[in-house]
Amino acid sequence: MNSTRSVIHSVDAVPASDGAGVQLKRIMSQPPHQLMDPFLMLDELKADHKEALGGGFPPHPHRGIETISCMLVGGFRHEDHMGNRREVGNGGIQWMKSGRGVIHSEMPLPEQDRLHGFQVWLNMPRRAKMDDPQYLDIDREAIPEWPLPEGKCRVLVGSLKNNDIQVQAPVVRQETQALMLDVQMEAGDRVVLPVTLSKAMIYVYQGVVNVAGSDSVISVGQSTLAVLSESGDLELTASEQSGFLVLAGEPLNEPVVQSGPFVMNTREEIEQAFQEYRAGELIAK
């Protein structure tokens, strides 16, 4: 019988505002926590009325990160300097590699005044931070599921495998090793996920999930991120109807300097990014 991961640290989401007055919950933020490497930020956007969406996220830059956006309810309209003009709908995901620089906007598309989704910032290794930017979005229908006897598990980023099966997400990335799952369970359901990457976390966005570690069972409630021990399967049960994200990755173990939308390895590189942005050279080839 395989060992199972235990909860070693937890973080509660805090209210925040970003973009043009968009209300959200921030779960990870700067300074990056070593326990969460290679992940830098996790935001949950959940609105039941248009006022909470403010003016969306007008054009803004990024450098040195990948962003992964997952929508559960509603969507958003994406535009960037590369000429992409796309709508990410209910259940869809978006992946964007900022590399040396991207300027983009994200404008909410609520469904009956409701919107619910997440954005993750994933760090890039030093060698790749000045690569060309890339963009990809995936519709709900193209996102594969990991087969479970109970519950539902969508593989958003990366791959999940055991001795019998492998499920690969449509987003095939070349850099930081990472896995992102969206799992939904009914009360009493039990799931075991063969997560092999060393760093792993869950963020509960609905209900209560019990993490069955090798030596303890810890309940994780709504709006809480649980950082898990570094080896073993992920065994979970649901006390009620629940939903959560699984984030897993291999740490980069590199210096991280973040200022606003830029994440680099040194303060000098951050200052250069701001200088190039102000001079209109951030996205110049």
Side-chain angles (χ1 to χ4, degrees):
M1 180 177 179
N2 292 339
S3 62
T4 54
R5 298 180 187 243
S6 303
V7 175
I8 60 172
H9 185 74
S10 62
V11 178
D12 292 331
V14 296
S17 177
D18 208 338
V22 179
Q23 304 302 305
L24 49 81
K25 293 179 181 179
R26 182 147 288 168
I27 301 96
M28 297 183 218
S29 62
Q30 58 178 316
H33 200 300
Q34 188 175 7
L35 287 172
M36 302 172 186
D37 182 14
F39 297 95
L40 298 165
M41 189 185 80
L42 169 61
D43 283 348
E44 180 180 13
L45 174 57
K46 189 175 184 180
D48 295 320
H49 52 88
K50 290 183 178 180
E51 289 74 15
L53 300 175
F57 299 91
H60 59 280
H62 289 293
R63 171 176 282 181
I65 61 171
E66 297 178 38
T67 65
I68 302 158
S69 302
C70 167
M71 300 307 301
L72 301 181
V73 179
F76 63 90
R77 180 180 297 109
H78 167 98
E79 295 188 12
D80 62 45
H81 79 278
M82 296 178 284
N84 295 302
R85 291 175 174 83
R86 302 283 295 175
E87 291 188 0
V88 178
N90 193 323
I93 63 171
Q94 177 210 72
W95 168 75
M96 187 178 70
K97 173 182 173 180
S98 68
R100 67 173 182 272
V102 68
I103 296 176
H104 76 133
S105 63
E106 297 163 308
M107 306 308 291
L109 298 172
E111 182 179 285
Q112 298 180 345
D113 291 341
R114 298 175 59 236
L115 195 77
H116 190 193
F118 307 88
Q119 186 170 91
V120 172
W121 284 17
L122 182 64
N123 199 11
M124 297 180 66
R126 183 194 300 266
R127 67 179 185 277
K129 283 185 178 291
M130 297 300 285
D131 284 357
D132 291 342
Q134 293 179 264
Y135 172 87
L136 182 68
D137 57 64
I138 307 293
D139 291 337
R140 173 205 291 267
E141 293 77 15
I143 298 174
E145 294 187 11
W146 178 258
L148 291 173
E150 299 176 318
K152 177 181 178 181
C153 175
R154 301 195 304 154
V155 182
L156 307 178
V157 174
S159 65
L160 201 60
K161 62 182 178 180
N162 57 24
N163 293 332
D164 302 316
I165 189 173
Q166 176 173 343
V167 176
Q168 171 69 56
V171 178
V172 179
R173 303 163 42 264
Q174 302 300 319
E175 301 301 338
T176 311
Q177 294 185 62
L179 173 72
M180 185 171 174
L181 311 174
D182 174 29
V183 184
Q184 298 178 3
M185 304 168 66
E186 298 295 329
D189 283 356
R190 172 182 174 271
V191 300
V192 178
L193 300 171
V195 176
T196 58
L197 298 172
S198 61
K199 293 296 178 76
M201 301 171 281
I202 66 167
Y203 176 69
V204 179
Y205 60 80
Q206 178 187 4
V208 178
V209 174
N210 308 300
V211 180
S214 296
D215 52 6
S216 63
V217 178
I218 301 295
S219 295
V220 182
Q222 186 170 326
S223 302
T224 299
L225 176 84
V227 182
L228 308 174
S229 54
E230 293 195 2
S231 64
D233 291 338
L234 184 51
E235 182 178 345
L236 309 116
T237 60
S239 297
E240 57 190 77
Q241 187 178 53
S242 302
F244 59 94
L245 300 180
V246 176
L247 304 175
E250 291 298 334
L252 295 177
N253 295 318
E254 294 182 354
V256 175
V257 181
Q258 177 180 352
S259 183
F262 303 134
V263 182
M264 301 299 288
N265 299 106
T266 68
R267 174 55 57 184
E268 291 75 19
E269 291 169 336
I270 291 291
E271 292 173 356
Q272 179 184 356
F274 276 108
Q275 290 171 3
E276 292 180 5
Y277 179 59
R278 288 191 291 265
E281 299 173 351
L282 184 80
I283 57 177
K285 292 186 177 180

